[in-house]
Amino acid sequence: MPGKITTSDWKNGKDEFVQQCFDQFGHMNKNDYEVALLHLLLENHDQETDFSLSRKLQIPEGKIKRLRYEVSLVYPEEETSLEKKLLSEIVNGNFKLTFDRIQFAINDKMLRSFLNNKLLQGNRFADSSFNTNIVSLTASDLQFLLSNCDKTEKKGIIDAIKQKIEDNQKSLPENTWHRMGEFGIALINIIGNKAIGDLTSNAIQEIKDLIKKNKKH
């Protein structure tokens, strides 16, 4: 059986939680208390996954996801903090290439919403239709998200992403690797060649032409 949450786990934030309960006494419903309690729990165990929390609290993982998102709304972070978290997800992400799009996972709904909002501000969008936790971007979108990084930092991140994509493609079944291997390497080479500056319209056209050529084979 997984270890249950006990009162000894609450090292930080206990006084604030109790004060909140008194300040809002008579105005908090069951869900409000659950959100406040999960916030207290995350203050002490911020590295816990949704799966491990659902096991310890013995409630569905879907409810943990919902409550975690409500916590991020009731106790909002500054935009600069979200920026740092998003960059950390990009830097430490495990990237895969699916023909014309680059994929990586973001489990935090608030962070995904923040990412999508940034893209929308640039008249762009991410695709998460297959799996809500998986973010699917074009090379141009990824460059756009890194636009606030300096040139040296951006190049380092792009090089790391290229290496992760190459490593992931080498682990694919042989027939799949032959189908998309040359295309994938060519695509990330285009990304890498444009890493120091923003993708130009010519570079984007190169990618589109490469996609069309790949689909014919």
Side-chain angles (χ1 to χ4, degrees), residues 85-108:
K85 282 189 174 182
L86 179 58
L87 183 59
S88 176
E89 289 284 347
I90 293 174
V91 170
N92 298 308
N94 184 22
F95 291 83
K96 294 183 179 180
L97 185 68
T98 57
F99 296 107
D100 60 328
R101 301 187 76 83
I102 300 167
Q103 295 182 330
F104 65 107
I106 296 183
N107 294 322
D108 187 322

Side-chain angles (χ1 to χ4, degrees), residues 40 64 73 81 85 92 106 109 113 118 138 161 173 188:
L40 177 59
I64 293 292
L73 293 172
S81 176
K85 282 189 174 182
N92 298 308
I106 296 183
K109 183 178 178 179
S113 296
K118 286 181 68 69
T138 65
I161 292 172
I188 59 179

